[in-house]
Amino acid sequence: MGMSVAKVSEKDRAGQRTYYPEVDILKGIAIVLVALGHAIILYPVNLHAVLWTSKIYEWVESVHMPLFFLVSGFCFSFHGRESASAPEKAQGFFFVYAFYLGKKVRRILIPYLTFCTADILARLCFPFFVNDKEKTFLRNIYDMFFGGGGYWFLYVLFFLFLLAPFWHTAAKRCRALLPLFLALSLCAPFLPGIPEIFLLRLTAHYLPYFYVGTRIRAHFPALKGLYDRRRLTPRGFLFLTAALLALWIVLLQINGTDIHTVLYMTVAFLGCFCFWCLLQSGLLSRLYPALKEMGVYSLQLYLFNSYLLVISRSFICRFFSYEGAGIILLFNLVFDLGVAYLIIRAVVVKVPLFRKLCGLL
């Protein structure tokens, strides 16, 4: 049984916050799940028409983005001026917020705009490789600014990071607001009439996971201690996994209802907890270094994934004319993650301009 990664926690470079290796490992698991979901292609061979790959896709879809948003919320940090007077606090908040916003622009918005622009140009220059050929140039431009473009995760994540300092600061000044904010975040996916523009509906859908992630971070030492004292036995973990599978099967049968949304959130949160339990069990200890490395570069792996998927699916399906679902899925997954990592390590991290364009601070 491998040593729990929590035992090697250390301070980050700034010396202000505790660094938890588990976070990078969970991000590594999440990006592998994202690449796995993308590897189940629709074009030029439709793997969604194959029963077993379609079920893998449905399972991945139920947990991978909630896990990403929960971990992103856990990583949220905003420090204001707590000991200042009211006018100074207001001034201090906006000063700190401007600095905070600049970091998020460099970390998220610049990579988003860079890769969305590159995606639009690639669609113009190489329409043969594009699945959705009916989208016009103007429609792609519109989607980039108002609909998330090809990188909706970054679009929604940036919006959540914009909002988070406001509820964080309000809750620090009035602790009684915490239950209200939690209730509002959990109810957000059920609110009617949320418009699609700016991906507001999708933002409401993923808000619960991001907000819960921020609260877990606030109480993580206590929660970690509670988990260590009442760690799941192997039998308990199997029971939790079986319950999660049963809920997931029910989830597939009741799509389009409020009960479906409740079950989706339940499955998503339980799925994230299952990955945490699996991580703490030590069963993945041999994979910790690789998963941690992928977690460190999870954003960059996500950025390159769609481009490399075009190459891998074209190579295996067009050049070799292969139609076997298992080989196509495995080739896409290994090629996309492996080549993206090589590009990041060999090129991106060594060229300052590429580091900035890819969000490496």
Side-chain angles (χ1 to χ4, degrees):
M1 187 75 67
M3 180 182 67
S4 172
V5 290
K7 295 181 180 179
V8 294
S9 297
E10 58 191 43
K11 293 292 183 180
D12 64 5
R13 292 181 181 179
Q16 296 176 346
R17 305 187 72 201
T18 302
Y19 168 67
Y20 298 103
E22 302 100 320
V23 174
D24 281 333
I25 296 173
L26 286 173
K27 286 196 293 185
I29 292 173
I31 194 60
V32 170
L33 292 176
V34 169
L36 175 61
H38 290 172
I40 302 173
I41 55 176
L42 281 166
Y43 176 84
V45 175
N46 185 6
L47 297 190
H48 289 251
V50 180
L51 180 62
W52 69 274
T53 51
S54 69
K55 295 306 176 184
I56 290 177
Y57 179 82
E58 290 170 349
W59 170 74
V60 167
E61 283 288 297
S62 70
V63 72
H64 68 327
M65 282 306 171
L67 179 59
F68 247 135
F69 279 104
L70 190 146
V71 172
S72 297
F74 186 94
C75 295
F76 164 75
S77 176
F78 184 82
H79 302 287
R81 299 171 60 185
E82 301 302 322
S83 60
S85 63
E88 289 175 332
K89 282 185 177 181
Q91 184 181 9
F93 171 84
F94 289 108
F95 177 81
V96 175
Y97 186 78
F99 178 78
Y100 165 90
L101 182 59
K103 289 186 65 176
K104 297 309 173 188
V105 167
R106 296 194 300 273
R107 175 70 171 166
I108 301 175
L109 188 58
I110 289 178
Y112 171 79
L113 294 174
T114 298
F115 279 78
C116 277
T117 301
D119 180 66
I120 293 172
L121 294 176
R123 289 173 181 271
L124 283 175
C125 298
F126 307 102
F128 176 75
F129 295 103
V130 177
N131 183 12
D132 187 2
K133 296 181 173 62
E134 296 182 358
K135 288 185 68 173
T136 64
F137 173 76
L138 291 179
R139 181 63 191 183
N140 284 320
I141 293 293
Y142 176 88
D143 284 346
M144 180 171 69
F145 289 103
F146 300 104
Y151 293 90
W152 67 265
F153 168 69
L154 295 182
Y155 194 96
V156 171
L157 186 63
F158 183 72
F159 192 58
L160 287 171
F161 272 124
L162 287 184
L163 296 176
F166 293 96
W167 75 60
H168 172 77
T169 302
K172 291 191 76 171
R173 295 178 182 178
C174 180
R175 304 287 293 181
L177 291 175
L178 284 172
L180 175 63
F181 288 157
L182 177 61
L184 289 175
S185 70
L186 293 176
C187 292
F190 302 93
L191 296 177
I194 301 177
E196 299 287 350
I197 193 169
F198 299 119
L199 293 187
L200 293 177
R201 181 178 295 278
L202 205 57
T203 301
H205 178 76
Y206 287 109
L207 174 61
Y209 313 104
F210 184 90
Y211 185 80
V212 168
T214 67
R215 301 316 307 155
I216 291 175
R217 179 56 185 258
H219 303 284
F220 186 70
L223 292 173
K224 180 67 172 60
L226 178 63
Y227 175 84
D228 288 340
R229 291 194 299 272
R230 301 182 179 181
R231 186 181 296 269
L232 280 180
T233 63
R235 180 180 298 178
F237 181 74
L238 289 176
F239 178 80
L240 177 62
T241 304
L244 180 61
L245 178 61
L247 286 173
W248 177 70
I249 292 173
V250 174
L251 178 68
L252 297 180
Q253 310 303 318
I254 56 172
N255 194 22
T257 66
D258 285 343
I259 296 178
H260 173 270
T261 305
V262 172
L263 274 181
Y264 178 92
M265 292 173 62
T266 304
V267 167
F269 278 121
L270 283 178
C272 294
F273 182 64
C274 275
F275 279 117
W276 167 261
C277 295
L278 182 62
L279 176 62
Q280 293 297 310
S281 71
L283 294 174
L284 300 178
S285 58
R286 293 183 181 274
L287 299 177
Y288 286 166
L291 289 172
K292 183 173 180 292
E293 187 76 357
M294 284 190 286
V296 170
Y297 297 110
S298 58
L299 170 62
Q300 291 72 40
L301 290 170
Y302 172 76
L303 290 170
F304 283 106
N305 180 250
S306 60
Y307 293 95
L308 292 171
L309 180 61
V310 173
I311 297 174
S312 62
R313 76 186 185 192
S314 299
F315 189 77
I316 191 72
C317 298
R318 294 186 183 277
F319 185 79
F320 281 106
S321 300
Y322 200 86
E323 297 185 1
I327 297 298
I328 292 175
L329 188 156
L330 184 61
F331 181 81
N332 286 337
L333 179 63
V334 174
F335 180 92
D336 298 347
L337 285 176
V339 174
Y341 180 75
L342 290 176
I343 293 173
I344 293 164
R345 293 294 297 169
V347 180
V348 173
V349 299
K350 297 181 178 180
V351 180
L353 176 61
F354 291 163
R355 288 178 64 88
K356 292 179 180 178
L357 294 178
C358 294
L360 278 169
L361 302 181

